[in-house]
Amino acid sequence: MTGADAQVPLTRAERFRLVWSRQRGKRHVTLVVVLALALIGGTAVLGRVTVDRVRGGSAAAASAEASPSPVPLSRVGEPRDLFAGTLGADFAVGEAGIVLPQAAARPPFTAREVAAALTQVRAALIQARLDLSMILGDTEPFLALLAPASRAQMRTDFEDSSFLHYATRIGSQDSADEIRVRGEMRYRAVTGDDGLPILRITTEYVWMYAFDVPRTTPGRAGIATIRDRVV
């Protein structure tokens, strides 16, 4: 202020503007410092969030690798559980699923006779449902286990395809890669129509046949299931 203006007392508003003008440089420095601190703080927070996300993604990927999907894609030379994710996952493999009950005497049959009969029935089950000869169409090994009087009737069953309730035939090319079995066998002595004693053996089993069918997407293998009850 110069001249006459210097002698005029300043108003409150004029004094405020004068102080504001003198402090402008300091305010600019303060503002820059505050903005810099805010930027550094924001960058640090953003960086931590990004690191946490990357670590979380890496942990999830590692967990996924450690716990593969129940039914992975088939690869050349890599074994694969064809029954993963199915009821057959807990079934025994092949003959191990046919467990004989303890043989006890059922008069007039002795424990030895009961054990022999159970063993014969087990052999017939294996030949009818599990053996490759039957699966590929050769019925003679199975028929040889039967009583001579029964063979002729059984042979006609395979001619008109009425054997499905006690035997399995798949085809000449595509045999099952694996077979799972679960069931039970029980027995009791009864009297036949002719008045003679009979040892009646009843079998109830579930047979699951897995086929490693080619495919390009994840999923279950081809599973064929048979449940039978044979007396």
Coordinates of all heavy atoms in Angstrom, one line a residue, residues 23-75:
Q23 N 1.1 -16.2 3.4 CA 1.3 -17.7 3.7 C 1.1 -18.6 2.6 O 1.1 -19.8 2.7 CB 0.3 -18.0 4.9 CG 0.5 -17.2 6.1 CD 1.9 -17.5 6.8 OE1 2.4 -18.6 6.7 NE2 2.5 -16.4 7.4
R24 N 0.9 -18.0 1.3 CA 0.5 -18.9 0.2 C 1.6 -19.9 -0.1 O 1.3 -21.1 -0.4 CB 0.3 -18.0 -1.0 CG -0.2 -18.8 -2.3 CD -0.5 -17.9 -3.4 NE -1.6 -17.0 -3.0 CZ -1.9 -15.9 -3.8 NH1 -1.3 -15.7 -4.9 NH2 -2.9 -15.1 -3.4
G25 N 2.9 -19.5 -0.1 CA 3.9 -20.5 -0.4 C 4.0 -21.6 0.6 O 4.1 -22.8 0.2
K26 N 3.8 -21.3 1.9 CA 3.9 -22.4 2.9 C 2.7 -23.3 2.7 O 2.8 -24.5 2.9 CB 3.8 -21.8 4.3 CG 5.1 -20.9 4.6 CD 5.0 -20.4 6.0 CE 6.2 -19.6 6.4 NZ 6.1 -19.0 7.8
R27 N 1.5 -22.7 2.3 CA 0.3 -23.6 2.1 C 0.6 -24.5 1.0 O 0.2 -25.7 1.0 CB -0.9 -22.7 1.8 CG -1.4 -21.9 3.0 CD -2.8 -21.4 2.8 NE -3.0 -20.8 1.5 CZ -2.7 -19.5 1.3 NH1 -2.3 -18.7 2.3 NH2 -2.9 -18.9 0.1
H28 N 1.2 -24.0 -0.1 CA 1.4 -24.9 -1.2 C 2.3 -26.1 -0.8 O 2.1 -27.2 -1.2 CB 2.1 -24.1 -2.4 CG 1.1 -23.2 -3.1 ND1 1.5 -22.3 -4.0 CD2 -0.2 -23.1 -2.9 CE1 0.5 -21.6 -4.5 NE2 -0.6 -22.1 -3.8
V29 N 3.4 -25.8 0.0 CA 4.3 -26.8 0.4 C 3.5 -27.8 1.3 O 3.7 -29.1 1.1 CB 5.5 -26.2 1.2 CG1 6.3 -27.3 1.8 CG2 6.3 -25.4 0.3
T30 N 2.7 -27.3 2.2 CA 1.9 -28.2 3.1 C 1.0 -29.1 2.3 O 0.9 -30.3 2.5 CB 1.1 -27.4 4.1 OG1 2.0 -26.6 4.8 CG2 0.4 -28.3 5.0
L31 N 0.3 -28.5 1.3 CA -0.6 -29.3 0.5 C 0.1 -30.4 -0.3 O -0.3 -31.5 -0.4 CB -1.3 -28.3 -0.5 CG -2.3 -29.0 -1.5 CD1 -3.4 -29.7 -0.7 CD2 -2.9 -28.0 -2.4
V32 N 1.3 -30.0 -0.9 CA 2.1 -31.0 -1.6 C 2.5 -32.2 -0.7 O 2.4 -33.4 -1.0 CB 3.3 -30.4 -2.2 CG1 4.3 -31.5 -2.8 CG2 2.9 -29.4 -3.3
V33 N 2.9 -31.8 0.6 CA 3.4 -32.9 1.5 C 2.2 -33.8 1.9 O 2.3 -35.0 1.9 CB 3.9 -32.2 2.8 CG1 4.2 -33.3 3.9 CG2 5.3 -31.5 2.5
V34 N 1.0 -33.2 2.1 CA -0.2 -34.0 2.5 C -0.6 -34.9 1.3 O -0.9 -36.1 1.5 CB -1.4 -33.0 2.8 CG1 -2.6 -33.9 3.0 CG2 -1.0 -32.3 4.1
L35 N -0.6 -34.4 0.1 CA -0.9 -35.2 -1.1 C 0.1 -36.3 -1.3 O -0.3 -37.5 -1.6 CB -1.0 -34.3 -2.3 CG -2.2 -33.3 -2.4 CD1 -2.0 -32.5 -3.7 CD2 -3.5 -34.1 -2.4
A36 N 1.4 -36.0 -1.0 CA 2.4 -37.0 -1.2 C 2.2 -38.2 -0.2 O 2.3 -39.3 -0.5 CB 3.8 -36.4 -1.0
L37 N 1.9 -37.8 1.1 CA 1.7 -38.8 2.1 C 0.5 -39.6 1.8 O 0.5 -40.9 2.0 CB 1.5 -38.1 3.5 CG 2.8 -37.4 4.1 CD1 2.4 -36.7 5.4 CD2 3.9 -38.5 4.3
A38 N -0.6 -39.0 1.3 CA -1.8 -39.7 0.9 C -1.5 -40.7 -0.2 O -2.0 -41.8 -0.2 CB -2.9 -38.7 0.6
L39 N -0.7 -40.2 -1.2 CA -0.4 -41.1 -2.3 C 0.4 -42.3 -1.8 O 0.2 -43.4 -2.3 CB 0.4 -40.3 -3.4 CG 0.8 -41.0 -4.6 CD1 -0.4 -41.6 -5.3 CD2 1.6 -40.1 -5.5
I40 N 1.4 -42.0 -1.0 CA 2.3 -43.1 -0.5 C 1.5 -44.1 0.3 O 1.6 -45.3 0.2 CB 3.4 -42.5 0.4 CG1 4.4 -41.7 -0.5 CG2 4.2 -43.7 1.1 CD1 5.5 -41.0 0.3
G41 N 0.6 -43.6 1.2 CA -0.3 -44.5 2.0 C -1.2 -45.3 1.1 O -1.4 -46.5 1.3
G42 N -1.8 -44.6 0.1 CA -2.7 -45.4 -0.8 C -2.0 -46.4 -1.6 O -2.5 -47.5 -1.8
T43 N -0.8 -46.1 -2.0 CA 0.0 -47.1 -2.8 C 0.4 -48.3 -1.9 O 0.3 -49.4 -2.4 CB 1.3 -46.4 -3.3 OG1 0.9 -45.3 -4.1 CG2 2.1 -47.4 -4.1
A44 N 0.7 -48.0 -0.6 CA 1.1 -49.1 0.3 C -0.1 -50.0 0.5 O 0.0 -51.2 0.5 CB 1.6 -48.5 1.6
V45 N -1.3 -49.4 0.7 CA -2.5 -50.2 0.9 C -2.8 -51.0 -0.3 O -3.1 -52.2 -0.2 CB -3.7 -49.3 1.3 CG1 -5.0 -50.1 1.4 CG2 -3.4 -48.7 2.7
L46 N -2.8 -50.4 -1.5 CA -3.1 -51.1 -2.7 C -2.1 -52.2 -3.0 O -2.5 -53.3 -3.4 CB -3.1 -50.1 -3.9 CG -3.4 -50.7 -5.3 CD1 -4.8 -51.3 -5.3 CD2 -3.3 -49.6 -6.3
G47 N -0.8 -51.9 -2.7 CA 0.2 -53.0 -2.9 C 0.0 -54.2 -2.0 O 0.1 -55.3 -2.4
R48 N -0.4 -53.9 -0.7 CA -0.7 -55.0 0.2 C -1.9 -55.8 -0.2 O -1.9 -57.1 -0.2 CB -0.9 -54.5 1.6 CG -1.1 -55.6 2.7 CD -1.3 -55.0 4.1 NE -1.4 -56.0 5.0 CZ -0.4 -56.8 5.5 NH1 0.8 -56.5 5.1 NH2 -0.7 -57.7 6.4
V49 N -2.9 -55.2 -0.7 CA -4.1 -55.9 -1.2 C -3.8 -56.8 -2.4 O -4.2 -57.9 -2.5 CB -5.2 -54.9 -1.5 CG1 -6.4 -55.6 -2.3 CG2 -5.8 -54.2 -0.3
T50 N -2.9 -56.2 -3.3 CA -2.5 -56.9 -4.4 C -1.7 -58.2 -4.1 O -1.9 -59.3 -4.6 CB -1.7 -56.0 -5.4 OG1 -2.5 -54.9 -5.7 CG2 -1.3 -56.8 -6.7
V51 N -0.8 -58.0 -3.1 CA 0.1 -59.1 -2.7 C -0.8 -60.2 -2.0 O -0.6 -61.4 -2.3 CB 1.1 -58.6 -1.7 CG1 1.8 -59.8 -1.0 CG2 2.2 -57.8 -2.4
D52 N -1.8 -59.8 -1.2 CA -2.6 -60.7 -0.5 C -3.4 -61.5 -1.6 O -3.6 -62.7 -1.4 CB -3.6 -60.0 0.4 CG -2.9 -59.5 1.7 OD1 -1.7 -59.9 1.9 OD2 -3.4 -58.6 2.3
R53 N -3.9 -60.8 -2.6 CA -4.7 -61.5 -3.6 C -3.8 -62.5 -4.4 O -4.2 -63.6 -4.7 CB -5.3 -60.5 -4.6 CG -6.4 -59.7 -4.0 CD -7.0 -58.7 -5.0 NE -8.2 -58.0 -4.5 CZ -8.9 -57.1 -5.2 NH1 -8.5 -56.8 -6.4 NH2 -9.9 -56.5 -4.6
V54 N -2.6 -62.1 -4.7 CA -1.7 -63.0 -5.4 C -1.4 -64.2 -4.6 O -1.4 -65.3 -5.0 CB -0.4 -62.2 -5.8 CG1 0.6 -63.2 -6.4 CG2 -0.7 -61.2 -6.8
R55 N -1.1 -63.9 -3.3 CA -0.8 -65.1 -2.4 C -2.0 -66.0 -2.3 O -1.9 -67.2 -2.2 CB -0.4 -64.6 -1.0 CG 1.0 -63.9 -1.0 CD 1.3 -63.4 0.4 NE 2.7 -62.8 0.4 CZ 3.2 -62.2 1.5 NH1 2.4 -62.0 2.6 NH2 4.4 -61.7 1.4
G56 N -3.2 -65.4 -2.1 CA -4.4 -66.2 -2.1 C -4.7 -67.0 -3.3 O -5.0 -68.2 -3.2
G57 N -4.4 -66.4 -4.5 CA -4.5 -67.2 -5.7 C -3.5 -68.3 -5.8 O -3.8 -69.4 -6.3
S58 N -2.3 -68.0 -5.3 CA -1.3 -69.1 -5.4 C -1.6 -70.2 -4.4 O -1.5 -71.4 -4.8 CB 0.1 -68.5 -5.0 OG 0.5 -67.5 -5.9
A59 N -2.2 -69.9 -3.2 CA -2.6 -70.9 -2.3 C -3.7 -71.7 -2.9 O -3.7 -73.0 -2.7 CB -3.0 -70.3 -1.0
A60 N -4.7 -71.1 -3.5 CA -5.8 -71.8 -4.1 C -5.3 -72.7 -5.2 O -5.8 -73.9 -5.4 CB -6.8 -70.8 -4.7
A61 N -4.4 -72.2 -6.0 CA -3.8 -73.1 -7.1 C -3.1 -74.3 -6.5 O -3.2 -75.4 -7.0 CB -2.9 -72.2 -8.0
A62 N -2.3 -74.0 -5.5 CA -1.6 -75.1 -4.8 C -2.5 -76.1 -4.2 O -2.4 -77.4 -4.3 CB -0.6 -74.6 -3.8
S63 N -3.6 -75.7 -3.6 CA -4.6 -76.6 -3.1 C -5.3 -77.4 -4.2 O -5.6 -78.6 -4.0 CB -5.7 -75.8 -2.3 OG -6.7 -76.6 -1.8
A64 N -5.6 -76.7 -5.3 CA -6.2 -77.4 -6.4 C -5.3 -78.5 -6.9 O -5.7 -79.6 -7.3 CB -6.6 -76.5 -7.5
E65 N -4.0 -78.2 -7.0 CA -3.0 -79.2 -7.5 C -2.9 -80.4 -6.5 O -2.8 -81.5 -6.9 CB -1.7 -78.6 -7.7 CG -1.7 -77.6 -8.9 CD -0.3 -77.0 -9.1 OE1 0.6 -77.3 -8.3 OE2 -0.1 -76.1 -10.0
A66 N -3.0 -80.0 -5.2 CA -2.9 -81.1 -4.2 C -4.1 -82.0 -4.1 O -4.0 -83.1 -3.7 CB -2.6 -80.5 -2.8
S67 N -5.3 -81.4 -4.5 CA -6.5 -82.1 -4.4 C -7.1 -82.2 -5.8 O -8.0 -81.3 -6.1 CB -7.5 -81.5 -3.4 OG -6.9 -81.4 -2.2
P68 N -6.7 -83.0 -6.7 CA -7.2 -83.1 -8.1 C -8.7 -83.5 -8.1 O -9.2 -83.9 -7.1 CB -6.4 -84.2 -8.7 CG -5.9 -85.0 -7.6 CD -5.8 -84.1 -6.4
S69 N -9.4 -83.2 -9.2 CA -10.8 -83.5 -9.3 C -11.0 -85.0 -9.2 O -10.1 -85.8 -9.5 CB -11.3 -83.0 -10.7 OG -10.5 -83.6 -11.7
P70 N -12.2 -85.4 -8.6 CA -12.4 -86.8 -8.4 C -12.2 -87.7 -9.6 O -11.8 -88.8 -9.5 CB -13.9 -86.8 -8.0 CG -14.1 -85.5 -7.4 CD -13.3 -84.6 -8.3
V71 N -12.5 -87.1 -10.8 CA -12.4 -87.9 -12.0 C -11.6 -87.1 -13.1 O -12.1 -86.4 -13.9 CB -13.8 -88.2 -12.7 CG1 -13.6 -89.2 -13.8 CG2 -14.7 -88.8 -11.6
P72 N -10.2 -87.2 -13.0 CA -9.4 -86.5 -13.9 C -9.5 -87.0 -15.3 O -9.9 -88.2 -15.5 CB -8.0 -86.7 -13.3 CG -8.1 -88.0 -12.6 CD -9.5 -88.0 -12.0
L73 N -9.0 -86.2 -16.3 CA -9.0 -86.7 -17.7 C -8.1 -87.9 -17.8 O -7.0 -87.9 -17.2 CB -8.6 -85.5 -18.6 CG -9.7 -84.5 -18.8 CD1 -9.0 -83.3 -19.6 CD2 -10.9 -85.0 -19.5
S74 N -8.4 -88.7 -18.7 CA -7.5 -89.9 -19.0 C -6.3 -89.4 -19.8 O -6.4 -88.6 -20.7 CB -8.3 -90.9 -19.8 OG -7.5 -92.0 -20.1
R75 N -5.1 -89.8 -19.4 CA -3.9 -89.5 -20.1 C -3.1 -90.7 -20.4 O -3.2 -91.7 -19.7 CB -3.1 -88.5 -19.2 CG -3.8 -87.2 -18.9 CD -2.9 -86.4 -18.0 NE -3.6 -85.1 -17.7 CZ -3.0 -84.2 -16.8 NH1 -1.9 -84.5 -16.2 NH2 -3.7 -83.1 -16.6

